Amino acid sequence: MADNGISRRRLIGTAGATGLALGAAGGAVGYAAAPSDAAADSAGSKAQLASLGADQVMFHGKHQPGITTPLQSRGHLIAFDLASGAGRKEAAALLRRWSATAERLMAGESADGGDTAVARDAGPSSLSVTFGFGASFFSRTGLEKQRPSALDPLPDFSSDHLDKARSNGDLWVQIGANDPLVAFHALRAIQKEAAGTARVRWQMNGFNRSPGATARPMTTRNLMGQVDGTNNPKPSEKDFDKRIFVPSDGDPSWMAGGSYVVVRRIRMLLDDWEELGTKAQEAVIGRHKSDGSPLTGGTETTEPKLDETGPDGKVVIAANAHARITRPDQNGGAAMLRRPFSYHDGFDGKGEPDAGLLFVCWQADPMRGFVPVQRKLDRGDALSEFIRHEASGLFAVPGGAGKGEYVGQRLLEG
Amino acid sequence: MADNGISRRRLIGTAGATGLALGAAGGAVGYAAAPSDAAADSAGSKAQLASLGADQVMFHGKHQPGITTPLQSRGHLIAFDLASGAGRKEAAALLRRWSATAERLMAGESADGGDTAVARDAGPSSLSVTFGFGASFFSRTGLEKQRPSALDPLPDFSSDHLDKARSNGDLWVQIGANDPLVAFHALRAIQKEAAGTARVRWQMNGFNRSPGATARPMTTRNLMGQVDGTNNPKPSEKDFDKRIFVPSDGDPSWMAGGSYVVVRRIRMLLDDWEELGTKAQEAVIGRHKSDGSPLTGGTETTEPKLDETGPDGKVVIAANAHARITRPDQNGGAAMLRRPFSYHDGFDGKGEPDAGLLFVCWQADPMRGFVPVQRKLDRGDALSEFIRHEASGLFAVPGGAGKGEYVGQRLLEG
């Protein structure tokens, strides 16, 4: 503990062992209802303290956190480029520092070496920190032979409007948490650890629904108002691991248990979209806006009847409807796990919102996950005139670190 | 209801009457734990449905919402300028539309005239929408005689680095909610209502701690890691109303029950600040970082002993310590209610975070609230070299609308 006073670990007490969810700590927190009192240890009830710690995501494991971890309400994506002069050795030291910091912060502890105290009073808040390597990392560190062929550049798509300065990068970090201060605290700690070794190439902030804001757990909505994520593969499905993670005997071997992530900053042209009106929007998507059910009826999880025709003899779900084009069984069984954040960076000079989706998708092989789906969308998706891909990244995310190991160690010391 | 399907009102059921807090709806929400099911009405337990609605802020009242409302975790500040050709009549129609929309959305209902559905499945999430008028509004609408002298321009401060394009404006709207999608939904609805009458001049996004992230309600922290808001006046204090709100016989009469808000985008130079280390930071502030207690001891709410000297014979709380300069009893009893959001708009070209505080403070008279405190800070605050005021706004926020009334009606139809 670099700081004096109450540690975050002490504050959260015997956390982690209970089944209580974060939300149960409850109570609207704000200055008006908040008589200040430094006696945190005595003021918080045992149930409150325990419930905070229950919301801890594990750092160690077969896979890194932040892939099958439930969506958090706040997210930061950051890409770094190695500083000139920094090579394999410096990168290894950085990943070692980063891993130690991620483990501490995810447990609700302070960062080493001068904690900023921004997250001091909070529990873990479902913090997850995930690390990845971009294609350029391998040439800069003399590790070309270890570079996975899965990191070959993504093909160009005709609808891309990519800003190179906000695309790719040597290293990538994804931070998610259900408290904005906990997320920001982690972001600063990660950035400070990089000082001298890597500098920020780009950084994006995103958000999702807050836990407890809806009456029941449900598929999230995006800023177009659509239920988004209906067809995501579920960890309970038998092919899930095979589709999302590199197998234990995969190639290269240092990627065992890892996954490849495609990150796209997809701006939504919301003024145009909202002008359409609900009926026309539903035709573009092929689903009802209210509940995500297919236009051919049922509930969100009902299979769309792709051949069903209406009174006019035309198919109810149009040939270019987004839901038809993205259906897994229309794409050779390809599957990716989409785990996005929405973003909103204010309004541009024309008064239009700079808002949309930080699309983050996970797969064992981008050429069988993202690429074939995006190719089909690129050719004939009715949604494409309402969105614009403005940045793109592809990163190799190694498997989770074992105890005493750091993320990427099998690559950097292999 | 402009949309078909389940209305937000139906979803939240008999909300509002219960004492349950939002957090109790509980459960981490995310795709992994979220088997989709459109049967919302049956799937949500009664307790869950009720708890969502409990988190409703009232639109009608003596004062507008968003002033004494507990801090929400997500906030949007937007300034609008009237379009050319728009005058008093058009402004009145806009405030009427805005008020109706604010009332509906704060109750968890849809917006009229094409709801975007972004907030569809959520409860009110403590949404508050607050409206204000800038000095320029009165000349553009021929209402010069109604312009409060309290809207006279703020004096220049030597440490200001103000961007005029992001300062002031004819109209100002503050949106706060505990769910980011509910907040964004309101922002879009408010912006769309303005089409043809006013255009966005500037817009800023902010955040605070999420409800439930700390073990007990407590004073918030800012991005410097400081406990921030300790000396805020409390609504239970006898002078609170007099200091924060314009009295019922105040001048001008249309401002009865209203308040004046000063908005400053205060960038924090976090790289410099964090380099200081905890001890030096505590000397700058005059309080301990761990719990906000004065350097002279006690808890957060203990009075600082301003005359106490240390072994070196110097005062423990330095002459230029922030806590000394901002103490209300050092400022002739002036008081303002600070109700800020933190902001983080990524990193600038130098790799430094564009982050800090959306300082929002409320008072019956800015010349007795914000101005004298800022004058003292401007002259000798040790904190000033670590912050930069980058934008500034001053707005007259009228009293709350009664039933059947809209905000500002007493001005616009007076």
Side-chain angles (χ1 to χ4, degrees):
Chain A
M1 208 64 44
D3 225 333
N4 55 1
I6 302 160
S7 77
R8 289 181 65 198
R9 186 181 267 299
R10 254 181 73 208
L11 190 65
I12 62 171
T14 55
T18 82
L20 294 175
L22 172 67
V29 176
Y31 72 90
S36 296
D37 178 352
D41 284 357
S42 58
S45 76
K46 276 192 181 174
Q48 283 177 329
L49 294 172
S51 71
L52 282 174
D55 213 20
Q56 180 178 345
V57 178
M58 292 299 125
F59 174 73
H60 294 292
K62 188 173 172 191
H63 312 300
Q64 285 194 61
I67 303 174
T68 58
T69 306
L71 284 173
Q72 298 106 333
S73 65
R74 184 80 177 166
H76 299 298
L77 308 180
I78 324 112
F80 293 86
D81 283 336
L82 288 173
S84 67
R88 176 173 173 173
K89 192 179 133 197
E90 292 76 15
L94 175 58
L95 267 295
R96 186 186 289 278
R97 290 196 298 276
W98 271 354
S99 296
T101 296
E103 181 179 359
R104 292 179 64 85
L105 300 188
M106 286 173 59
E109 296 177 16
S110 306
D112 269 331
D115 188 85
T116 61
V118 169
R120 187 170 192 108
D121 316 297
S125 292
S126 295
L127 176 67
S128 66
V129 186
T130 317
F131 303 99
F133 300 100
S136 55
F137 178 84
F138 297 84
S139 49
R140 296 209 178 150
T141 51
L143 288 164
E144 291 93 341
K145 285 187 182 161
Q146 300 290 344
R147 192 175 75 78
S149 56
L151 284 187
D152 288 350
L154 295 174
D156 291 332
F157 299 104
S158 66
S159 56
D160 283 353
H161 293 71
L162 303 184
D163 175 357
K164 294 218 157 140
R166 289 197 291 184
S167 295
N168 292 310
D170 294 346
L171 292 156
W172 177 77
V173 185
Q174 172 190 259
I175 292 168
N178 280 326
D179 179 70
L181 296 188
V182 167
F184 184 81
H185 177 251
L187 174 67
R188 286 296 287 165
I190 290 294
Q191 194 204 0
K192 285 165 75 175
E193 300 278 6
T197 304
R199 55 166 205 80
V200 174
R201 176 183 173 90
W202 54 258
Q203 197 260 311
M204 300 173 189
N205 299 333
F207 57 87
N208 283 300
R209 181 133 280 164
S210 295
T214 52
R216 65 196 169 90
M218 61 185 302
T219 307
T220 192
R221 284 186 193 266
N222 60 36
L223 296 188
M224 286 178 157
Q226 301 296 329
V227 174
D228 191 341
T230 302
N231 272 326
N232 245 344
K234 315 283 183 297
S236 56
E237 291 166 3
K238 74 172 165 55
D239 284 349
F240 181 84
D241 272 14
K242 200 175 107 185
R243 288 168 159 180
I244 308 306
F245 295 111
V246 176
S248 53
D249 60 349
D251 179 47
S253 60
W254 66 268
M255 272 295 286
S259 185
Y260 294 91
V261 65
V262 175
V263 180
R264 310 280 282 192
R265 186 180 196 268
I266 305 180
R267 180 156 173 188
M268 294 172 168
L269 308 179
L270 292 179
D271 283 350
D272 296 342
W273 174 252
E274 291 168 10
E275 226 167 63
L276 271 190
T278 301
K279 282 281 169 214
Q281 290 173 354
E282 290 180 337
V284 166
I285 302 294
R287 292 178 174 276
H288 291 111
K289 206 167 175 188
S290 57
D291 59 5
S293 63
L295 293 186
T296 48
T299 68
E300 185 193 335
T301 52
T302 304
E303 284 296 306
K305 295 175 188 157
L306 297 179
D307 299 329
E308 189 167 295
T309 52
D312 61 358
K314 294 180 185 165
V315 281
V316 173
I317 297 173
N320 64 352
H322 186 72
R324 179 187 290 270
I325 293 175
T326 55
R327 280 194 68 213
D329 63 3
Q330 302 284 300
N331 292 290
M336 52 188 177
L337 177 67
R338 289 176 294 140
R339 191 178 184 282
F341 294 90
S342 290
Y343 78 88
H344 172 222
D345 293 337
F347 289 85
D348 66 15
K350 295 181 215 154
E352 289 171 18
D354 185 6
L357 197 69
L358 301 180
F359 174 93
V360 178
C361 83
W362 299 90
Q363 56 254 295
D365 178 0
M367 288 305 291
R368 288 177 42 80
F370 173 76
V371 171
V373 175
Q374 185 57 24
R375 274 214 181 104
K376 291 189 79 169
L377 291 172
D378 198 40
R379 275 188 223 122
D381 178 20
L383 187 60
S384 61
E385 62 180 290
F386 303 99
I387 60 177
R388 197 161 58 205
H389 288 236
E390 296 193 333
S392 176
L394 170 61
F395 303 94
V397 171
K403 298 264 179 191
E405 198 189 21
Y406 63 88
V407 174
Q409 184 164 353
R410 281 163 269 169
L411 166 66
L412 292 160
E413 302 182 15
Chain B
M1 210 62 45
D3 227 334
N4 56 0
I6 302 160
S7 76
R8 288 180 65 198
R9 186 181 266 304
R10 256 181 71 210
L11 189 64
I12 62 171
T14 55
T18 81
L20 293 174
L22 172 67
V29 176
Y31 72 91
S36 297
D37 177 351
D41 283 358
S42 58
S45 76
K46 275 192 183 174
Q48 283 177 329
L49 293 171
S51 70
L52 281 175
D55 213 20
Q56 180 178 342
V57 178
M58 291 299 126
F59 174 73
H60 294 293
K62 188 174 171 190
H63 312 300
Q64 286 194 61
I67 303 174
T68 58
T69 307
L71 284 173
Q72 298 105 332
S73 65
R74 183 81 178 165
H76 299 299
L77 308 180
I78 322 112
F80 292 87
D81 284 337
L82 288 172
S84 67
R88 176 174 173 172
K89 193 179 133 198
E90 291 76 15
L94 175 58
L95 266 296
R96 187 186 288 278
R97 290 197 298 276
W98 271 355
S99 296
T101 296
E103 182 179 357
R104 292 178 65 83
L105 299 189
M106 286 172 58
E109 295 177 17
S110 306
D112 269 332
D115 187 85
T116 61
V118 170
R120 187 170 193 109
D121 317 296
S125 292
S126 295
L127 175 69
S128 66
V129 186
T130 317
F131 302 101
F133 300 101
S136 55
F137 178 83
F138 297 84
S139 49
R140 296 207 181 153
T141 51
L143 289 164
E144 292 91 340
K145 287 187 179 158
Q146 300 289 345
R147 191 175 75 78
S149 57
L151 282 187
D152 287 351
L154 296 175
D156 292 332
F157 300 103
S158 66
S159 56
D160 282 354
H161 292 73
L162 303 183
D163 175 356
K164 295 220 155 140
R166 288 198 291 185
S167 296
N168 292 311
D170 293 347
L171 293 156
W172 177 76
V173 185
Q174 172 190 258
I175 293 167
N178 279 327
D179 179 70
L181 296 188
V182 167
F184 184 81
H185 177 251
L187 174 68
R188 286 298 286 166
I190 291 294
Q191 194 205 0
K192 285 165 76 173
E193 300 278 6
T197 303
R199 57 167 203 80
V200 174
R201 178 183 171 88
W202 54 258
Q203 196 260 311
M204 300 172 189
N205 300 333
F207 57 87
N208 283 301
R209 182 133 280 166
S210 294
T214 52
R216 64 196 171 91
M218 60 184 304
T219 307
T220 192
R221 284 185 192 266
N222 61 36
L223 297 189
M224 286 178 157
Q226 301 296 329
V227 174
D228 191 341
T230 301
N231 272 327
N232 246 343
K234 315 283 183 295
S236 56
E237 291 166 3
K238 75 173 166 55
D239 283 349
F240 182 85
D241 271 14
K242 200 174 106 187
R243 288 168 161 180
I244 308 305
F245 296 112
V246 176
S248 53
D249 60 351
D251 180 46
S253 60
W254 66 268
M255 272 295 285
S259 185
Y260 294 92
V261 65
V262 175
V263 181
R264 311 279 282 193
R265 185 182 197 268
I266 305 180
R267 181 157 172 186
M268 295 172 168
L269 308 179
L270 292 179
D271 283 350
D272 296 342
W273 175 252
E274 292 168 10
E275 225 167 64
L276 271 190
T278 301
K279 282 282 169 214
Q281 290 173 355
E282 290 180 339
V284 166
I285 301 294
R287 291 180 174 276
H288 291 113
K289 206 169 175 188
S290 58
D291 58 6
S293 62
L295 292 186
T296 48
T299 68
E300 184 192 335
T301 52
T302 304
E303 284 298 304
K305 295 174 187 158
L306 296 179
D307 299 328
E308 189 166 296
T309 51
D312 60 358
K314 294 181 185 163
V315 281
V316 174
I317 296 174
N320 64 352
H322 186 74
R324 179 187 291 270
I325 294 175
T326 55
R327 280 196 69 213
D329 62 4
Q330 302 283 302
N331 292 291
M336 52 188 176
L337 176 67
R338 289 176 295 140
R339 191 179 183 281
F341 294 90
S342 291
Y343 77 87
H344 173 221
D345 293 337
F347 290 85
D348 67 14
K350 294 182 217 153
E352 289 171 18
D354 184 7
L357 198 69
L358 301 180
F359 175 92
V360 178
C361 84
W362 300 90
Q363 57 256 295
D365 179 359
M367 288 306 291
R368 288 176 43 79
F370 174 75
V371 171
V373 175
Q374 185 57 24
R375 273 213 181 102
K376 291 188 80 170
L377 290 173
D378 198 40
R379 275 188 222 120
D381 178 20
L383 188 60
S384 62
E385 63 179 289
F386 302 99
I387 60 176
R388 196 160 60 206
H389 288 237
E390 296 193 332
S392 176
L394 170 61
F395 304 94
V397 171
K403 298 265 179 192
E405 198 190 20
Y406 62 87
V407 174
Q409 186 164 353
R410 281 163 269 171
L411 166 66
L412 292 160
E413 301 182 16

